[in-house]
Amino acid sequence: MGNEVQEAEVRIQELTRELNDHNYRYYVLAQPSISDQEFDKLLAELQTLETQWPELQLPDSPTQRVGGTITKSFPIFLHQKPLLSLGNTYSLEDLEEFDVRLRKGLEGHPFHYIIEHKFDGVALSLHYVNGILKHGVTRGDGKQGDEITQNVKTIRTVPIRLKGALAGATIEVRGEVFMHTADFIKLNQEREENGDPIFMNPRNSTAGTLKLQDSAEVARRPLRLVAYYLDSQDLTLPNSDYERLALLQDSGFFVSPFNQVYSTLPEIKTHIDSWEHKRSELPYEIDGMVLKVDEIQLREELGFTAKSPRWAIAYKYQAEQAITQLNGVTFQVGRTGAITPVAELEPVWLAGTTVKRASLYNADEINNLDLHIGDQVVIEKGGEIIPKITRVHLPGRHAAGMKVSFIQTCPACNTTLIRNEGESNYYCTNHQNCPPQIKGRIEHFAHRKALNIDGLGTELIDQLVEKGWVKEVTDLYSLTKENLITLNRFGAKSADNLIESLEKSKRVPWPKVLFGLGIRYVGQTVAEKVARAFPTLTDLRSADRESLVAVPEVGEKIADSLYSWLHQDPNTPAFLAKLTQTGLQLSLSPEDIPEKISDKLEGKSYLFSGVFTQFSREKLQQMVLDHGGKIATSVNKKLDCLVAGENMGPSKLSKAQELGIHLISEDEFLSLLK
Ligand code: IVH
């Protein structure tokens, strides 16, 4: 036994070190040295070992990166030194004045400038104690912020243990949390596919993500950190900021490789100019440059005004803007019936592309802008991505232009729109017969990540829906070659191909079929988890709301959506009856069911209640399944064991005691698995 512990300990240390190193190579250096699959395999090995030997988990274990804790409200954290904001300017003359002020303030004492990119994200302060990340704190009002440590640990470019020059140190690091543009676009695409509202820009989505209560969700969002500040109460650090940042880089942080030190303003201006256009080639957005005195001692001499330091200034690039005419507003109907307003613009050239349309997001946005048809509007590439209207250029307003207001009825089927409480979107509820919704559902079903039906493109879907041949995805399976070849530009060969793709889709596994049904909020990951928890459609239909909530990744909102789709929509029973006849996979095939680690909990049911300290509830439930057990969803006679965390609900406890159900702690549960 002693030997076994030792082996586990050594292996856990090895895996932790290796995985942290791979993480660093992948996210900070962008030079991965193993494949994603190999990484996942090592991570799974570490997770299994940590399950068996929880006491051997290291404080910098990379398994923390996947999150799993739920924080109901974030504790308040007082900043050691306030997080100040910066004076902003758009003009180079202001930089000259800044330079003159500095030289005067420092009485001719020589100094250097450090110039950095101004990342367009959210500020974060990190506290390391003896080399380990202890607190991650938002800026808040500058004096105190929210402690969001569990969320911060999921950010791959935040080292959990300092290495190199600062290994073991007690320091504060500050930086900006941001997203790569491509990651942001992908995130929005996924949200659109899942029927979630999209984010306006990477900064908004970063800010929203950091405040999520579920750290597992944070872990799925592509956040990064760039470090731009290092301080310590008990270490002597270099006087040069640039050298301090080099220490951070050596310790595992991502530090911008474009930081530069100069001694004169003309050099600074040249540097700023050279990035005005080059910035569009970066994989992330910067909205300007930050110019700071490099010598920390001199910064202290210069001090602060009420709001910002005297030793730094932000130079912001003009957002690339254009003025054009608003020709109209159209309203698009999405797959779930959500209505998105779109501005139709007189085509105009902006930052490398011709812009004809801009997103208006929702009714509030339209009201805030006070748009009239024919207005001259100022458009900006919202962080160079989706163009948006920032304001009306009033001198260009024609008296006759009609005020734009949100429509009351569906533009496609005339049904009166509804707005759910607390949501900014309007919906058309005619899911059965509204053509764009039908088309959207078919497109989603045919998508590569769902049933992957080759040859079923938008144009064909339009025709199939307009002819009335397809109203539901199930109708696709009744299409015949004879019907198909009568369609526009559709020959015998295409018909054969489509029929073959449809045949092939009958082998697509149940989780993807469930995703393909396009139930609101049931994205790929959720569909996967639900399909594993309910291996057949029949199981899923007999699940109560509570057992849906018990599925990992499924919260109240998703459970409500699934439950009402299954049970409250009057069309569902007939639809499911047809679905069963298509021959699609509506149950998991044996090879899709993951192998068990052991039979230790065979046949026994477990219920977890309260807050757990060593592992998240999701993870604990997964362990039950891995060892052959079952997850129960309520306290009743059939329950074998209730695992009680902290702050467990009193009603569950008394009911369990009444029924004489075996009650154990998290530690006792974990020792069952050893
Ligand atoms: S230094 C007092 N450096 O911009 C010093 N800030 O408008 C302020 N920011 O709150 C921090 N990139 O969130 C600094 N290279 C950079 C930055 C940066 C982005 C953000 C930061 C700050 C805000 C000030």
Side-chain angles (χ1 to χ4, degrees), residues 202-485:
R203 183 170 38 76
N204 270 340
S205 87
T206 301
T209 299
L210 284 176
K211 293 293 192 66
L212 290 175
Q213 293 180 345
D214 178 359
S215 64
E217 181 57 29
V218 181
R220 283 191 287 276
R221 307 268 180 94
L223 300 182
R224 293 168 184 264
L225 179 103
V226 56
Y228 52 62
Y229 169 100
L230 165 64
D231 197 12
S232 173
Q233 310 279 27
D234 60 14
L235 265 189
T236 316
L237 293 168
N239 184 31
S240 151
D241 193 22
Y242 188 83
E243 286 170 28
R244 290 188 180 197
L245 299 185
L247 289 178
L248 285 181
Q249 183 165 16
D250 191 54
S251 310
F253 285 92
F254 170 68
V255 173
S256 167
F258 304 111
N259 294 344
Q260 286 277 358
V261 175
Y262 295 108
S263 19
T264 67
L265 196 64
E267 291 167 300
I268 297 290
K269 285 186 183 167
T270 315
H271 182 87
I272 289 179
D273 274 347
S274 77
W275 277 101
E276 163 106 54
H277 295 291
K278 258 197 302 189
R279 71 190 171 116
S280 63
E281 291 159 23
L282 290 168
Y284 42 80
E285 282 163 25
I286 60 168
D287 56 347
M289 291 283 181
V290 184
L291 183 57
K292 307 172 186 172
V293 171
D294 185 56
E295 288 83 359
I296 307 291
Q297 260 166 13
L298 298 181
R299 288 185 185 180
E300 274 154 27
E301 272 175 41
L302 287 160
F304 304 86
T305 68
K307 279 188 301 192
S308 48
R310 289 207 181 83
W311 43 263
I313 190 166
Y315 176 86
K316 293 242 225 166
Y317 291 115
Q318 283 299 345
E320 290 192 70
Q321 288 187 335
I323 293 187
T324 189
Q325 181 171 298
L326 176 71
N327 289 336
V329 173
T330 51
F331 293 86
Q332 294 178 346
V333 187
R335 159 171 71 81
T336 58
I339 311 287
T340 314
V342 176
E344 305 290 343
L345 304 169
E346 194 56 36
V348 62
W349 184 254
L350 175 63
T353 52
T354 304
V355 176
K356 298 187 199 112
R357 322 179 83 192
S359 175
L360 288 168
Y361 302 100
N362 54 45
D364 297 338
E365 178 81 0
I366 293 186
N367 285 336
N368 293 341
L369 287 168
D370 183 30
L371 294 175
H372 290 62
I373 303 298
D375 274 349
Q376 296 294 310
V377 291
V378 180
I379 60 166
E380 248 178 39
K381 286 222 175 150
E384 339 284 319
I385 309 163
I386 317 162
K388 66 173 213 169
I389 298 182
T390 52
R391 63 189 169 85
V392 174
H393 178 63
L394 282 174
R397 175 165 286 176
H398 299 287
M402 216 182 35
K403 183 169 163 61
V404 178
S405 51
F406 210 88
I407 44 171
Q408 314 258 300
T409 58
C410 175
C413 73
N414 239 356
T415 304
T416 304
L417 301 178
I418 59 148
R419 188 177 193 170
N420 297 331
E421 211 168 308
E423 280 190 45
S424 47
N425 288 333
Y426 280 89
Y427 286 89
C428 166
T429 52
N430 181 17
H431 304 310
Q432 265 340 78
N433 296 304
C434 180
Q437 293 188 57
I438 301 176
K439 290 177 189 171
R441 280 202 297 274
I442 310 282
E443 258 172 52
H444 176 79
F445 185 76
H447 193 276
R448 192 172 40 80
K449 293 179 186 162
L451 279 292
N452 192 17
I453 306 172
D454 266 347
L456 189 58
T458 325
E459 233 180 281
L460 176 59
I461 295 175
D462 282 352
Q463 287 196 63
L464 294 173
V465 174
E466 266 143 40
K467 287 237 183 244
W469 293 351
V470 173
K471 289 188 74 174
E472 276 303 346
V473 297
T474 46
D475 298 331
L476 292 169
Y477 296 88
S478 322
L479 292 171
T480 61
K481 185 172 176 184
E482 289 71 50
N483 316 133
L484 286 169
I485 51 175

Side-chain angles (χ1 to χ4, degrees), residues 84-86 116-119 122-123 139 176 228 290 292 309 311:
L84 297 159
S85 61
L86 286 174
E116 301 172 10
H117 286 166
K118 187 169 193 307
F119 284 76
V122 177
R139 176 172 187 276
E176 197 84 353
Y228 52 62
V290 184
K292 307 172 186 172
W311 43 263

Side-chain angles (χ1 to χ4, degrees), residues 634-645:
S634 61
V635 180
N636 58 41
K637 285 198 303 272
K638 284 188 276 172
L639 177 65
D640 290 304
C641 185
L642 177 63
V643 188

